[in-house]
Amino acid sequence: MKEYIGEEFQELILEDQSVEKCVFEDCIFENCKFQELLLKGCLFSGCVFIKCRFSGLHIKNTEALGNTFRACSLTGVNWSDLLEEKKREMGFLPFDLLERCTVRHSVFYRLNLRKFDFTGCDLAGSYFDECDLSESSFRETLLKGSSFSQNNLSAADFRGAADYCFSLTNNRAQKAKFSLPEAVNLLAALGIVIED
């Protein structure tokens, strides 16, 4: 297994390739592009990704733990596939920070995202299923077409978020914070008709 520890990668472009049996620990990736990439038997731990673009990742036996993403574009990532079930149950995450990232059409399944800060992210078309999102911040987040099902959204903060619409009966949302006019979308999810 090839190991990269504390290395820096700038403007790396990997398209239609595979990366196999590699460990990346405490590495920095800046302005990199990963497209239609197969990651097989790899580990990413404590890495920092800055202004990187990810799309069409294919993941097999690959794990990510405690990585940081800043101003990155990540499309179609199944974050749950990047953790062993046991680690997911223990509350580990593939990321510690998603700062001002575009994280579209991604899957967050059975993740402990309690108190996680999604502020300013674009999460359009993403799926949140059976996650603990209590006390998380979705402030100023774009959520168009996102799905929330069977989540704990207690005391989550959606003030300033845009384009969300999810069932209050299918998610726990006690003490969650919302702002107008977007909060009206929650009534539409209940089948209530609002007229001017």
Side-chain angles (χ1 to χ4, degrees):
M1 184 168 279
K2 187 147 181 152
E3 292 187 4
Y4 300 90
I5 299 174
E7 295 199 29
E8 294 188 22
F9 301 89
Q10 293 194 358
E11 299 181 8
L12 177 66
I13 298 174
L14 295 175
E15 296 179 314
D16 298 312
Q17 296 180 36
S18 66
V19 176
E20 299 184 29
K21 297 182 181 177
C22 290
V23 173
F24 297 91
E25 188 174 322
D26 299 324
C27 293
I28 297 173
F29 296 83
E30 191 165 359
N31 292 311
C32 297
K33 181 180 178 183
F34 307 102
Q35 186 173 336
E36 297 301 326
L37 184 66
L38 170 63
L39 296 173
K40 188 174 180 182
C42 295
L43 170 66
F44 293 84
S45 178
C47 295
V48 177
F49 297 87
I50 304 164
K51 296 181 181 175
C52 294
R53 292 185 294 160
F54 300 80
S55 64
L57 291 183
H58 305 282
I59 299 162
K60 290 185 180 178
N61 301 319
T62 291
E63 192 167 44
L65 295 166
N67 298 290
T68 294
F69 296 87
R70 290 190 171 102
C72 290
S73 174
L74 305 113
T75 302
V77 177
N78 185 336
W79 296 101
S80 303
D81 281 351
L82 288 166
L83 283 174
E84 294 175 2
E85 188 172 345
K86 186 179 246 183
K87 287 184 181 168
R88 200 169 53 226
E89 289 171 359
M90 293 171 65
F92 287 97
L93 290 173
F95 46 80
D96 286 340
L97 179 70
L98 294 171
E99 182 181 283
R100 303 273 175 206
C101 290
T102 298
V103 189
R104 291 185 169 187
H105 307 288
S106 294
V107 175
F108 301 85
Y109 177 69
R110 287 191 173 173
L111 294 177
N112 182 352
L113 294 162
R114 186 173 185 270
K115 294 187 177 181
F116 196 81
D117 189 359
F118 289 103
T119 299
C121 288
D122 179 349
L123 298 168
S126 292
Y127 297 89
F128 292 88
D129 294 319
E130 298 182 39
C131 292
D132 182 356
L133 292 158
S134 59
E135 300 180 69
S136 291
S137 176
F138 289 91
R139 290 181 68 99
E140 309 300 326
T141 299
L142 301 176
L143 293 163
K144 185 173 186 166
S146 290
S147 168
F148 289 83
S149 179
Q150 303 295 319
N151 297 292
N152 181 358
L153 298 169
S154 301
D157 191 349
F158 286 88
R159 292 176 291 177
D163 296 322
Y164 54 86
C165 181
F166 55 83
S167 169
L168 293 174
T169 58
N170 199 17
N171 295 283
R172 287 181 294 179
Q174 297 82 359
K175 297 186 180 179
K177 298 175 185 87
F178 302 95
S179 57
L180 293 172
E182 295 296 322
V184 173
N185 293 336
L186 298 173
L187 297 174
L190 293 171
I192 295 173
V193 177
I194 301 171
E195 296 180 1
D196 289 334

